[in-house]
Amino acid sequence: MEQLLSVLIGALVAGSVFLMLAGHLLRFLFGLILLSNAANLTIFLAGGLTPGAPPLISEGAEGPTGTVANALPQALVLTAIVIGFGLFAFALILAFRAYQTLGTLDTDAMRVAEPEEAQ
Amino acid sequence: MSWLLSLPLIIPFATAIAAFLVRGHASGRWISLTGSAIALAAAIALLMVVLDDGVIAGQMGGWPAPFGITLVADLLSAVMVLITAITAFAVAIYAFGDIDRRREELGYHALFQTLIAGVTGAFLTGDLFNLYVWFEVMLIASFGMLILGGEKEQIDGGVKYVALNLVSTLLFLSGIGLLYGMTGTLNLADLAQKVETIPNQGLLTAVAMMFMVGFGIKAAVFPLFFWLPASYHTPSFAVSAVFAGLLTKVGVYAMIRMFTMIFDHDIGFTHTILLWIAGFTMVTGVLGAASQGDFRKILSFHIISQIGYMILGLALMTPLALLGAVFYLVHHIIVKANLFLIAGIASRATGSTDLYRIGGLYASSPLLAVLFLIPAFSLAGFPPLSGFWAKYVLVKASLDAEFWFMAFIALAVGLMTIFSMTKIWAEAFWKPHPTNPDPALDQVPHRGALLLPVAGLAVLTMVIGLYPEPFVVFAERAAAQLLDPTAYITAVLGAAP
């Protein structure tokens, strides 16, 4: 399972780098989603995988018995997903606004703030 | 003590909420100013306590470290919180003259206070994942502030700023995940102890590099700085002043924290890279500035070259060099924010920030000229201003460590800084105005609110410059705490068993 996830993370990162370098803002944002998922999976994987043992405490007990899955990485990933989602929503709106005001999503053509001719 | 630690966080958040509720109403700016004043008082109180009692730590929510979220204030954190509060206070005054009603209606004051809360949180937290969360608080507020107003340039600059900062955040996040996987903890004090027990130290170095790139983008070091000159000249002047003063410095602070406390296992490798980064950052920043012809663009590139000095202090890792880095951080925030505020006044008086289309400020407003010269000379490192001592210490530290070439670069970049400052002086202040014969400061509305923070920050620069001893002694103590984090670890985790 670990190996499979590692390969998946690698594939996600490779795909995201490809998309981010494509020179188009929308593709860049898609790449960003992939990278964000890769980061979340990295946390999940690095925290250790324990299949089939939810970290539940039975009634009356003080703590879980036996080996249970690590709940912390899941909490971290959940936080990261929420934050990432918020930021991504903002980035999408910004891309839309950029298309409206600048008329292009080609990153090479976005030179309003940095005009080509430095006087 | 935990209430005192959380005050600098709670106050800006409460102010943000209050300012948001009355957005668009004229009282918003007063709420923002009052909140900033109270936060300043809290920051002073915090620094006093840290000076007397040493490092203080508080466990939020009552969960004992290393399980809960810890807030820690050592000398570096406390002084960064104070300098943040000072900058915020100055910019809150400046906003009276700079932020128009429309931007207030869009929620400028709420965003501003949230940004300050995020920056303060990043300085105070003692937990790695919490640091990520504060970075995000700071980022989302800065996104909003950057594009507030929605002008064409702002959207264009905003796209680049948002894109690269999001990438940086994701690298940082992956680094956190991997570090957690290796050590099983996120508490900085606990991490500092546990990283030594990792069997494969090479992997730790690999993770350290992820942090270096992640924080490097935030701190705008070579070759990761391109978002900064693309965006910092586009928003309102108050916004760019607070960005220029604080945002990159959070990256520098995080780098100093991580690379003194946690990633100090292979200094020969990581800090040599930092040394190269420092050199290239100084040189490319100052050369970039030399090629620009816009007031704020020149200043933006100078942020980059100055970041190089701070990284140089970190890279050398001697007590003197870290002293220099801490001193430089404090000095730089004051001076840089001030220069951007002055750019705003100059633009209001003359109608533009394009140096080739403005001029005549010396004749019409000698007061502004004097107020510009103080931070400009301080930035370049003239005695007896704060920048002189900051540069002096770092050059001395490079010479002591026998990095002659770095000392040479530091001095040469100082010289180039004078070139850029002279250019601004000659174009904006000395030469007559090309079109309008009489740019006048006394026609600028709200000039009292604009000039007051500029004068206050200039006085602060002069005080540090003329009477540097207590500041140097302070920076020395802060550097000693960085090099030997025992006090930090004891404050968080209790005495070692």
Side-chain angles (χ1 to χ4, degrees):
Chain A
M1 193 64 187
E2 276 86 352
Q3 284 85 348
L4 201 64
L5 269 181
S6 311
V7 173
L8 177 62
I9 293 170
L12 283 175
V13 172
S16 79
V17 170
F18 177 78
L19 283 171
M20 285 206 247
L21 295 179
H24 192 272
L25 190 58
L26 206 56
R27 288 195 185 173
F28 183 92
L29 292 180
F30 291 153
L32 215 54
I33 300 188
L34 292 190
L35 192 61
S36 135
N37 284 327
N40 291 339
L41 281 177
T42 308
I43 301 178
F44 189 56
L45 183 59
L49 301 179
T50 316
L56 299 174
I57 302 169
S58 43
E59 211 174 330
E62 286 284 302
T65 46
T67 311
V68 293
N70 187 354
L72 186 68
Q74 302 179 21
L76 299 184
V77 169
L78 191 61
T79 315
I81 288 175
V82 172
I83 293 178
F85 189 72
L87 289 176
F88 188 75
F90 178 87
L92 265 185
I93 297 295
L94 182 65
F96 182 62
R97 252 324 264 283
Y99 184 67
Q100 281 183 325
T101 41
L102 308 173
T104 178
L105 284 177
D106 179 0
T107 44
D108 287 335
M110 300 174 102
R111 298 297 296 254
V112 179
E114 297 165 287
E116 209 122 4
E117 285 289 305
Q119 295 130 355
Chain B
M1 271 311 153
S2 61
W3 59 271
L4 191 57
L5 272 168
S6 49
L7 268 188
L9 289 173
I10 294 171
I11 295 166
F13 270 129
T15 315
I17 293 168
F20 183 74
L21 291 177
V22 300
R23 67 186 184 283
H25 193 265
S27 59
R29 49 183 75 172
W30 288 102
I31 289 175
S32 175
L33 182 65
T34 316
S36 299
I38 301 172
L40 180 59
I44 292 172
L46 178 67
L47 184 65
M48 289 297 166
V49 171
V50 174
L51 272 174
D52 288 344
D53 302 354
V55 185
I56 57 172
Q59 316 299 340
M60 297 301 116
W63 290 88
F67 304 110
I69 288 172
T70 312
L71 293 186
V72 197
D74 64 352
L75 285 170
L76 178 62
S77 297
V79 77
M80 293 310 285
V81 169
L82 176 61
I83 213 79
T84 305
I86 291 174
T87 315
F89 186 62
V91 174
I93 299 174
Y94 193 84
F96 276 72
D98 188 56
I99 302 300
D100 55 32
R101 184 51 65 84
R102 196 168 73 87
R103 287 185 164 84
E104 285 192 328
E105 275 166 13
L106 292 168
Y108 166 80
H109 296 297
L111 284 172
F112 172 67
Q113 294 291 339
T114 312
L115 180 85
I116 298 302
V119 171
T120 311
F123 290 145
L124 279 179
T125 186
D127 183 280
L128 200 51
F129 196 78
N130 198 229
L131 180 65
Y132 160 76
V133 175
W134 288 120
F135 264 97
E136 300 297 316
V137 171
M138 183 179 95
L139 264 191
I140 195 74
S142 71
F143 290 172
M145 285 172 86
L146 186 64
I147 60 161
L148 202 68
E151 282 162 29
K152 223 173 167 183
E153 275 202 338
Q154 286 181 294
I155 301 287
D156 188 45
V159 165
K160 292 153 194 173
Y161 177 87
V162 168
L164 285 172
N165 273 290
L166 287 180
V167 172
S168 135
T169 302
L170 291 174
L171 280 170
F172 175 33
L173 187 62
S174 311
I176 292 177
L178 293 173
L179 198 58
Y180 172 74
M182 283 193 269
T183 56
T185 182
L186 290 165
N187 186 296
L188 287 178
D190 202 24
L191 271 173
Q193 293 180 321
K194 292 223 169 111
V195 284
E196 287 160 21
T197 62
I198 295 173
N200 191 343
Q201 294 279 313
L203 282 179
L204 187 61
T205 310
V207 174
M209 297 315 291
M210 288 189 85
F211 277 90
M212 196 188 283
V213 176
F215 291 147
I217 297 178
K218 295 250 188 274
V221 297
F222 176 86
L224 309 164
F225 59 73
F226 293 98
W227 57 270
L228 193 152
S231 59
Y232 269 28
H233 61 284
T234 57
S236 314
F237 292 94
V239 174
S240 62
V242 74
F243 279 20
L246 297 175
L247 291 195
T248 47
K249 262 54 75 181
V250 179
V252 175
Y253 165 84
M255 224 183 220
I256 290 180
R257 183 65 79 201
M258 293 303 280
F259 282 86
T260 54
M261 214 163 108
I262 292 167
F263 300 126
D264 58 349
H265 59 286
D266 190 4
I267 289 179
F269 181 73
T270 50
H271 287 60
T272 306
I273 295 179
L274 283 175
L275 196 68
W276 282 95
I277 290 176
F280 277 116
T281 309
M282 284 192 273
V283 172
T284 46
V286 87
L287 289 180
S291 73
Q292 295 296 324
D294 180 279
F295 208 138
R296 277 202 283 186
K297 281 187 186 170
I298 291 180
L299 295 179
S300 300
F301 271 105
H302 274 295
I303 300 175
I304 297 163
S305 87
Q306 308 284 314
I307 296 288
Y309 284 94
M310 298 166 212
I311 303 295
L312 172 65
L314 170 64
L316 295 171
M317 260 308 244
T318 61
L320 189 67
L322 279 173
L323 184 169
V326 173
F327 197 99
Y328 214 110
L329 263 173
V330 172
H331 137 80
H332 175 83
I333 293 176
I334 297 171
V335 166
K336 202 78 225 186
N338 201 3
L339 281 170
F340 271 86
L341 296 180
I342 293 168
I345 304 178
S347 160
R348 261 157 219 282
T350 58
S352 172
T353 54
D354 185 344
L355 289 177
Y356 303 111
R357 282 165 44 199
I358 65 174
L361 277 172
Y362 177 71
S364 67
S365 43
L367 173 67
L368 186 66
V370 173
L371 286 176
F372 168 75
L373 278 186
I374 294 169
F377 277 167
S378 183
L379 189 75
F382 269 55
L385 297 160
S386 58
F388 168 71
W389 301 106
K391 282 206 171 63
Y392 173 79
V393 171
L394 282 174
V395 170
K396 176 86 166 58
S398 324
L399 292 177
D400 285 355
E402 301 192 342
F403 286 106
W404 316 109
F405 191 60
M406 279 296 155
F408 169 74
I409 289 182
L411 288 172
V413 169
L415 201 66
M416 292 289 289
T417 309
I418 301 174
F419 168 75
S420 291
M421 291 301 129
T422 317
K423 184 157 137 193
I424 297 179
W425 172 258
E427 298 286 347
F429 289 88
W430 199 244
K431 80 163 196 272
H433 197 290
T435 49
N436 171 11
D438 191 23
L441 188 63
D442 45 11
Q443 285 164 14
V444 175
H446 307 292
R447 61 183 180 283
L450 295 173
L451 281 170
L452 189 66
V454 168
L457 292 175
V459 168
L460 212 52
T461 314
M462 300 263 292
V463 168
I464 298 178
L466 293 171
Y467 191 53
E469 198 191 328
F471 299 95
V472 171
V473 171
F474 177 88
E476 193 177 7
R477 281 178 61 191
Q481 278 186 353
L482 286 173
L483 279 174
D484 179 16
T486 318
Y488 189 103
I489 294 168
T490 314
V492 175
L493 297 175

